[in-house]
Amino acid sequence: MAKIKHQKSKGHFAGVPAVVMQHPDYIKLGYSARSLLFELALQCYGHNNGKLCAIHAQLIKRGFGKGSDTITNALRELLDANLIVCTKVGMFGRGKKQPNYYAVTWRPINDIKGFEMDIKPTNTPPRQFSIELRLVTNDKAA
């Protein structure tokens, strides 16, 4: 049998783990929140979880509606579902425009050199979706 040679992907992979997508917190999300979650996952390179942002002007170019309420509501929905956490509150005024920064909760929050967050970096993910999903599944079976 001939061996199949696989080429290494040269691109960046952006995804949400299946265990997160099977969790009730994800299933309850609206479409805008799900889309925004994937946009945040796209920004996550494995060393910058905690410095992800949802900037309106950038998201319009990615297909989000022109109304900022869509993004604001989607962010609120993701925060309420604890699928993301705010790592640094932005600042507006006095000539400064700094966005809020976020981290996805299925990956550890990274210690990012030169970037001060309002919360501490973590060695483990803030949420353990596989354990939570097992508990939810066991509760339904009982």
Side-chain angles (χ1 to χ4, degrees):
M1 208 179 239
K3 277 191 171 182
I4 298 172
K5 291 184 181 182
H6 296 281
Q7 291 183 349
K8 265 193 167 180
S9 173
K10 294 179 183 177
H12 169 69
F13 176 78
V16 177
V19 70
V20 175
M21 295 176 71
Q22 293 164 347
H23 196 281
D25 289 346
Y26 176 86
I27 293 168
K28 288 185 254 180
L29 293 176
Y31 293 114
S32 295
R34 288 181 189 193
S35 295
L36 183 56
L37 187 62
F38 276 91
E39 291 298 322
L40 292 171
L42 178 64
Q43 295 175 33
C44 197
Y45 283 91
H47 62 275
N48 67 332
N49 192 29
K51 199 173 181 183
L52 314 176
C53 55
I55 298 171
H56 185 252
Q58 292 173 351
L59 290 171
I60 287 176
K61 293 175 187 173
R62 301 276 308 151
F64 276 79
K66 294 190 189 305
S68 63
D69 286 350
T70 303
I71 297 165
T72 302
N73 292 338
L75 281 169
R76 188 173 301 117
E77 201 174 339
L78 291 171
L79 289 164
D80 289 347
N82 199 20
L83 290 166
I84 62 171
V85 292
C86 185
T87 58
K88 184 172 184 170
V89 177
M91 188 185 311
F92 291 92
R94 295 187 188 169
K96 292 185 178 182
K97 281 188 176 181
Q98 297 174 340
N100 289 342
Y101 290 95
Y102 303 94
V104 294
T105 56
W106 64 84
R107 299 187 63 137
I109 299 171
N110 300 117
D111 186 7
I112 303 164
K113 199 173 194 173
F115 182 68
E116 192 174 321
M117 294 183 281
D118 297 337
I119 63 174
K120 294 186 185 299
T122 62
N123 292 323
T124 58
R127 288 186 70 181
Q128 303 295 325
F129 285 93
S130 57
I131 295 169
E132 290 179 30
L133 190 58
R134 217 170 326 149
L135 293 173
V136 168
T137 306
N138 288 341
D139 285 347
K140 287 182 181 177

